Amino acid sequence: MKILNEIKCVFPADSRNEGLARSVVTSFSSQLDPSVNEVGEIKTAVSEAVTNCIVHAYREKKGDIELVARALEGNMLYIKIRDKGCGIEDVKQAMEPLYTSAPEEERTGLGFSVMESFMDKVSVRSKPDKGTSVIMTRKILSDKSDA
């Protein structure tokens, strides 16, 4: 699919930056003319992906999160959230509802399920000690046509 526009940003994996990530994606996606409901769902999916990086990827270490958002032809929104943290040993297991790698923390293990419920497609690529990429896509159902 042809890329119509793209933004990339990198920020520290710090909980203060979760709102920044949501704001960046909300502002960027406005060019696709999403509904208020679509914006809310996209923001929630981004929050879950960024929170996973903050809570799970780096644990007690510092690290960065890379966010890429693309407006694609056909009114599609592409979002990639990437870390270079500890990675996920078993992605299939990690994507199971209620699974968490941090049971000692107050986490429900529903992050990937939430992402999947709000986006059309969610794919996760990860390698232990190399990091994780979460790629999400969603067709924006506005009446705005491609420019």
Side-chain angles (χ1 to χ4, degrees):
M1 237 178 234
K2 182 179 175 188
I3 299 171
L4 303 176
N5 199 3
E6 178 180 68
I7 186 169
K8 296 178 184 180
C9 63
V10 178
F11 49 90
D14 183 297
S15 61
R16 294 175 289 191
N17 290 326
E18 181 186 347
L20 169 69
R22 285 193 315 264
S23 295
V24 166
V25 171
T26 298
S27 295
F28 181 81
S29 68
S30 68
Q31 66 193 286
L32 297 173
D33 198 23
S35 69
V36 172
N37 187 55
E38 287 173 317
V39 168
E41 291 177 352
I42 292 163
K43 285 169 54 173
T44 300
V46 168
S47 290
E48 292 295 334
V50 169
T51 297
N52 278 353
C53 295
I54 293 166
V55 172
H56 300 291
Y58 297 108
R59 301 289 176 184
E60 302 299 320
K61 299 185 290 185
K62 292 185 183 282
D64 290 330
I65 298 170
E66 177 185 293
L67 183 151
V68 176
R70 294 179 180 149
L72 306 174
E73 64 185 355
N75 232 39
M76 292 291 293
L77 178 65
Y78 166 102
I79 301 166
K80 178 170 75 171
I81 309 288
R82 180 173 180 258
D83 66 66
K84 294 181 181 177
C86 65
I88 300 170
E89 190 76 33
D90 185 341
V91 171
K92 185 177 178 182
Q93 180 185 34
M95 292 183 76
E96 288 293 319
L98 301 179
Y99 174 81
T100 181
S101 63
E104 68 282 356
E105 297 179 15
E106 293 182 27
R107 300 286 170 199
T108 61
L110 292 174
F112 287 122
S113 296
V114 169
M115 288 179 239
E116 290 176 321
S117 70
F118 290 141
M119 302 300 282
D120 294 333
K121 184 176 180 187
V122 176
S123 64
V124 179
R125 297 183 199 137
S126 189
K127 290 186 180 178
D129 300 320
K130 299 288 183 187
T132 301
S133 292
V134 175
I135 298 170
M136 304 180 283
T137 57
R138 177 165 176 159
K139 181 164 181 67
I140 303 303
L141 300 175
S142 71
D143 292 330
K144 189 175 182 179
S145 60
D146 290 339

